[in-house]
Amino acid sequence: MSGQASVDPGGSAEQVRRPGVLRWIGYALGAGLPARHRSWVLHDTTTRTWALRHMARAMIQLAVPIALVVLLVPGPLWIRAMAALGGVALGLFFSIAYMTETLEGRVKKAGYPAGTAARVRDRAARERDQQDSQRRRAAAARRAARYQGRRDG
């Protein structure tokens, strides 16, 4: 995605620059990114897969404490694994519950006004709905023409 142009809410085209692996891990853990990755943060929080991306970041955040539980807590492995699984389930539950607030915080940290990510996602959803509607209308018109041709012929 590096080198992709993205239109920000202000209307100006910015270059989308993906951060490196270490910067992304820091970003997933809550650190901010340099200004050159500003448009990527908006893209990351508003693309079609924004919820899956959020879940991936949440799993990165949960990885260290879960690994510590499995490796350092005494007791049988199955008990430690079940405790880790419970921790993952609880962590993901809270992550999902506060997903939009967390994303808005990331976008705000990148320098956009609060509410930007929601506006961009809403606009993209409306555009997708319009495109789907046009596609369905075109398909219906093709079917109607095909059946009209059969009836006339």
PDB file of all heavy atoms in Angstrom, residues 131-148:
ATOM      1  N   GLN A 131     -22.799   2.277  -5.285  1.00  0.00           N
ATOM      2  CA  GLN A 131     -22.221   1.438  -6.332  1.00  0.00           C
ATOM      3  C   GLN A 131     -22.945   0.098  -6.420  1.00  0.00           C
ATOM      4  O   GLN A 131     -23.224  -0.386  -7.517  1.00  0.00           O
ATOM      5  CB  GLN A 131     -20.728   1.219  -6.082  1.00  0.00           C
ATOM      6  CG  GLN A 131     -19.898   2.448  -6.304  1.00  0.00           C
ATOM      7  CD  GLN A 131     -18.456   2.265  -5.847  1.00  0.00           C
ATOM      8  OE1 GLN A 131     -18.116   1.259  -5.228  1.00  0.00           O
ATOM      9  NE2 GLN A 131     -17.620   3.247  -6.144  1.00  0.00           N
ATOM     10  N   ASP A 132     -23.262  -0.482  -5.258  1.00  0.00           N
ATOM     11  CA  ASP A 132     -24.012  -1.746  -5.264  1.00  0.00           C
ATOM     12  C   ASP A 132     -25.388  -1.559  -5.885  1.00  0.00           C
ATOM     13  O   ASP A 132     -25.862  -2.408  -6.648  1.00  0.00           O
ATOM     14  CB  ASP A 132     -24.150  -2.296  -3.844  1.00  0.00           C
ATOM     15  CG  ASP A 132     -22.857  -2.855  -3.296  1.00  0.00           C
ATOM     16  OD1 ASP A 132     -21.913  -3.080  -4.082  1.00  0.00           O
ATOM     17  OD2 ASP A 132     -22.796  -3.064  -2.062  1.00  0.00           O
ATOM     18  N   SER A 133     -26.037  -0.449  -5.560  1.00  0.00           N
ATOM     19  CA  SER A 133     -27.348  -0.169  -6.113  1.00  0.00           C
ATOM     20  C   SER A 133     -27.280  -0.005  -7.631  1.00  0.00           C
ATOM     21  O   SER A 133     -28.114  -0.561  -8.366  1.00  0.00           O
ATOM     22  CB  SER A 133     -27.918   1.100  -5.472  1.00  0.00           C
ATOM     23  OG  SER A 133     -29.168   1.408  -6.030  1.00  0.00           O
ATOM     24  N   GLN A 134     -26.282   0.731  -8.110  1.00  0.00           N
ATOM     25  CA  GLN A 134     -26.119   0.895  -9.560  1.00  0.00           C
ATOM     26  C   GLN A 134     -25.821  -0.443 -10.227  1.00  0.00           C
ATOM     27  O   GLN A 134     -26.355  -0.737 -11.300  1.00  0.00           O
ATOM     28  CB  GLN A 134     -24.992   1.888  -9.847  1.00  0.00           C
ATOM     29  CG  GLN A 134     -25.337   3.306  -9.494  1.00  0.00           C
ATOM     30  CD  GLN A 134     -24.135   4.225  -9.596  1.00  0.00           C
ATOM     31  OE1 GLN A 134     -23.019   3.793  -9.836  1.00  0.00           O
ATOM     32  NE2 GLN A 134     -24.364   5.517  -9.399  1.00  0.00           N
ATOM     33  N   ARG A 135     -25.003  -1.266  -9.592  1.00  0.00           N
ATOM     34  CA  ARG A 135     -24.671  -2.587 -10.152  1.00  0.00           C
ATOM     35  C   ARG A 135     -25.922  -3.459 -10.231  1.00  0.00           C
ATOM     36  O   ARG A 135     -26.177  -4.115 -11.240  1.00  0.00           O
ATOM     37  CB  ARG A 135     -23.594  -3.251  -9.284  1.00  0.00           C
ATOM     38  CG  ARG A 135     -23.136  -4.598  -9.799  1.00  0.00           C
ATOM     39  CD  ARG A 135     -22.138  -5.257  -8.868  1.00  0.00           C
ATOM     40  NE  ARG A 135     -22.531  -5.290  -7.466  1.00  0.00           N
ATOM     41  CZ  ARG A 135     -23.415  -6.150  -6.948  1.00  0.00           C
ATOM     42  NH1 ARG A 135     -24.005  -7.030  -7.710  1.00  0.00           N
ATOM     43  NH2 ARG A 135     -23.707  -6.117  -5.657  1.00  0.00           N
ATOM     44  N   ARG A 136     -26.736  -3.426  -9.164  1.00  0.00           N
ATOM     45  CA  ARG A 136     -27.975  -4.223  -9.175  1.00  0.00           C
ATOM     46  C   ARG A 136     -28.963  -3.723 -10.229  1.00  0.00           C
ATOM     47  O   ARG A 136     -29.620  -4.518 -10.895  1.00  0.00           O
ATOM     48  CB  ARG A 136     -28.629  -4.181  -7.795  1.00  0.00           C
ATOM     49  CG  ARG A 136     -27.968  -5.103  -6.809  1.00  0.00           C
ATOM     50  CD  ARG A 136     -28.812  -5.225  -5.536  1.00  0.00           C
ATOM     51  NE  ARG A 136     -27.941  -5.169  -4.397  1.00  0.00           N
ATOM     52  CZ  ARG A 136     -27.785  -4.135  -3.582  1.00  0.00           C
ATOM     53  NH1 ARG A 136     -28.495  -3.048  -3.744  1.00  0.00           N
ATOM     54  NH2 ARG A 136     -26.945  -4.188  -2.587  1.00  0.00           N
ATOM     55  N   ARG A 137     -29.065  -2.405 -10.373  1.00  0.00           N
ATOM     56  CA  ARG A 137     -29.964  -1.854 -11.394  1.00  0.00           C
ATOM     57  C   ARG A 137     -29.511  -2.241 -12.793  1.00  0.00           C
ATOM     58  O   ARG A 137     -30.330  -2.581 -13.648  1.00  0.00           O
ATOM     59  CB  ARG A 137     -30.027  -0.333 -11.277  1.00  0.00           C
ATOM     60  CG  ARG A 137     -30.869   0.141 -10.131  1.00  0.00           C
ATOM     61  CD  ARG A 137     -31.043   1.643 -10.162  1.00  0.00           C
ATOM     62  NE  ARG A 137     -31.771   2.073  -8.998  1.00  0.00           N
ATOM     63  CZ  ARG A 137     -31.351   3.000  -8.164  1.00  0.00           C
ATOM     64  NH1 ARG A 137     -30.211   3.621  -8.377  1.00  0.00           N
ATOM     65  NH2 ARG A 137     -32.070   3.334  -7.117  1.00  0.00           N
ATOM     66  N   ALA A 138     -28.193  -2.183 -13.027  1.00  0.00           N
ATOM     67  CA  ALA A 138     -27.673  -2.564 -14.341  1.00  0.00           C
ATOM     68  C   ALA A 138     -27.926  -4.042 -14.614  1.00  0.00           C
ATOM     69  O   ALA A 138     -28.310  -4.423 -15.726  1.00  0.00           O
ATOM     70  CB  ALA A 138     -26.178  -2.256 -14.433  1.00  0.00           C
ATOM     71  N   ALA A 139     -27.747  -4.887 -13.595  1.00  0.00           N
ATOM     72  CA  ALA A 139     -28.003  -6.314 -13.761  1.00  0.00           C
ATOM     73  C   ALA A 139     -29.483  -6.560 -14.027  1.00  0.00           C
ATOM     74  O   ALA A 139     -29.848  -7.386 -14.874  1.00  0.00           O
ATOM     75  CB  ALA A 139     -27.547  -7.083 -12.526  1.00  0.00           C
ATOM     76  N   ALA A 140     -30.359  -5.840 -13.320  1.00  0.00           N
ATOM     77  CA  ALA A 140     -31.801  -5.987 -13.539  1.00  0.00           C
ATOM     78  C   ALA A 140     -32.179  -5.538 -14.945  1.00  0.00           C
ATOM     79  O   ALA A 140     -33.009  -6.174 -15.618  1.00  0.00           O
ATOM     80  CB  ALA A 140     -32.581  -5.193 -12.495  1.00  0.00           C
ATOM     81  N   ALA A 141     -31.569  -4.465 -15.432  1.00  0.00           N
ATOM     82  CA  ALA A 141     -31.846  -3.985 -16.787  1.00  0.00           C
ATOM     83  C   ALA A 141     -31.372  -5.012 -17.820  1.00  0.00           C
ATOM     84  O   ALA A 141     -32.067  -5.256 -18.820  1.00  0.00           O
ATOM     85  CB  ALA A 141     -31.168  -2.642 -17.027  1.00  0.00           C
ATOM     86  N   ARG A 142     -30.225  -5.636 -17.586  1.00  0.00           N
ATOM     87  CA  ARG A 142     -29.741  -6.682 -18.518  1.00  0.00           C
ATOM     88  C   ARG A 142     -30.684  -7.881 -18.520  1.00  0.00           C
ATOM     89  O   ARG A 142     -31.006  -8.418 -19.583  1.00  0.00           O
ATOM     90  CB  ARG A 142     -28.327  -7.126 -18.138  1.00  0.00           C
ATOM     91  CG  ARG A 142     -27.242  -6.115 -18.497  1.00  0.00           C
ATOM     92  CD  ARG A 142     -25.849  -6.697 -18.350  1.00  0.00           C
ATOM     93  NE  ARG A 142     -25.567  -7.229 -17.031  1.00  0.00           N
ATOM     94  CZ  ARG A 142     -25.077  -6.525 -16.001  1.00  0.00           C
ATOM     95  NH1 ARG A 142     -24.815  -5.242 -16.158  1.00  0.00           N
ATOM     96  NH2 ARG A 142     -24.846  -7.100 -14.843  1.00  0.00           N
ATOM     97  N   ARG A 143     -31.153  -8.284 -17.330  1.00  0.00           N
ATOM     98  CA  ARG A 143     -32.094  -9.406 -17.267  1.00  0.00           C
ATOM     99  C   ARG A 143     -33.398  -9.055 -17.970  1.00  0.00           C
ATOM    100  O   ARG A 143     -33.962  -9.858 -18.722  1.00  0.00           O
ATOM    101  CB  ARG A 143     -32.374  -9.795 -15.815  1.00  0.00           C
ATOM    102  CG  ARG A 143     -31.273 -10.613 -15.187  1.00  0.00           C
ATOM    103  CD  ARG A 143     -31.703 -11.211 -13.862  1.00  0.00           C
ATOM    104  NE  ARG A 143     -32.218 -10.260 -12.895  1.00  0.00           N
ATOM    105  CZ  ARG A 143     -31.477  -9.534 -12.061  1.00  0.00           C
ATOM    106  NH1 ARG A 143     -30.182  -9.646 -12.071  1.00  0.00           N
ATOM    107  NH2 ARG A 143     -32.050  -8.694 -11.213  1.00  0.00           N
ATOM    108  N   ALA A 144     -33.884  -7.831 -17.735  1.00  0.00           N
ATOM    109  CA  ALA A 144     -35.135  -7.409 -18.366  1.00  0.00           C
ATOM    110  C   ALA A 144     -34.983  -7.389 -19.880  1.00  0.00           C
ATOM    111  O   ALA A 144     -35.887  -7.840 -20.608  1.00  0.00           O
ATOM    112  CB  ALA A 144     -35.546  -6.027 -17.851  1.00  0.00           C
ATOM    113  N   ALA A 145     -33.844  -6.902 -20.368  1.00  0.00           N
ATOM    114  CA  ALA A 145     -33.606  -6.869 -21.816  1.00  0.00           C
ATOM    115  C   ALA A 145     -33.521  -8.288 -22.370  1.00  0.00           C
ATOM    116  O   ALA A 145     -34.041  -8.567 -23.455  1.00  0.00           O
ATOM    117  CB  ALA A 145     -32.328  -6.098 -22.124  1.00  0.00           C
ATOM    118  N   ARG A 146     -32.885  -9.177 -21.647  1.00  0.00           N
ATOM    119  CA  ARG A 146     -32.765 -10.558 -22.106  1.00  0.00           C
ATOM    120  C   ARG A 146     -34.140 -11.220 -22.184  1.00  0.00           C
ATOM    121  O   ARG A 146     -34.475 -11.881 -23.167  1.00  0.00           O
ATOM    122  CB  ARG A 146     -31.843 -11.335 -21.155  1.00  0.00           C
ATOM    123  CG  ARG A 146     -31.596 -12.754 -21.602  1.00  0.00           C
ATOM    124  CD  ARG A 146     -30.566 -13.475 -20.734  1.00  0.00           C
ATOM    125  NE  ARG A 146     -30.970 -13.456 -19.335  1.00  0.00           N
ATOM    126  CZ  ARG A 146     -30.163 -13.192 -18.317  1.00  0.00           C
ATOM    127  NH1 ARG A 146     -28.904 -12.902 -18.522  1.00  0.00           N
ATOM    128  NH2 ARG A 146     -30.617 -13.211 -17.074  1.00  0.00           N
ATOM    129  N   TYR A 147     -34.965 -11.035 -21.154  1.00  0.00           N
ATOM    130  CA  TYR A 147     -36.292 -11.648 -21.166  1.00  0.00           C
ATOM    131  C   TYR A 147     -37.210 -10.965 -22.178  1.00  0.00           C
ATOM    132  O   TYR A 147     -38.063 -11.613 -22.777  1.00  0.00           O
ATOM    133  CB  TYR A 147     -36.901 -11.636 -19.762  1.00  0.00           C
ATOM    134  CG  TYR A 147     -36.158 -12.546 -18.821  1.00  0.00           C
ATOM    135  CD1 TYR A 147     -35.658 -12.073 -17.612  1.00  0.00           C
ATOM    136  CD2 TYR A 147     -35.929 -13.885 -19.141  1.00  0.00           C
ATOM    137  CE1 TYR A 147     -34.959 -12.906 -16.757  1.00  0.00           C
ATOM    138  CE2 TYR A 147     -35.228 -14.704 -18.297  1.00  0.00           C
ATOM    139  CZ  TYR A 147     -34.753 -14.212 -17.101  1.00  0.00           C
ATOM    140  OH  TYR A 147     -34.067 -15.044 -16.278  1.00  0.00           O
ATOM    141  N   GLN A 148     -37.044  -9.668 -22.353  1.00  0.00           N
ATOM    142  CA  GLN A 148     -37.817  -8.958 -23.355  1.00  0.00           C
ATOM    143  C   GLN A 148     -37.478  -9.493 -24.742  1.00  0.00           C
ATOM    144  O   GLN A 148     -38.370  -9.692 -25.572  1.00  0.00           O
ATOM    145  CB  GLN A 148     -37.520  -7.445 -23.293  1.00  0.00           C
ATOM    146  CG  GLN A 148     -38.349  -6.607 -24.225  1.00  0.00           C
ATOM    147  CD  GLN A 148     -39.807  -6.578 -23.814  1.00  0.00           C
ATOM    148  OE1 GLN A 148     -40.144  -6.690 -22.645  1.00  0.00           O
ATOM    149  NE2 GLN A 148     -40.705  -6.449 -24.781  1.00  0.00           N
TER     150      GLN A 148
END
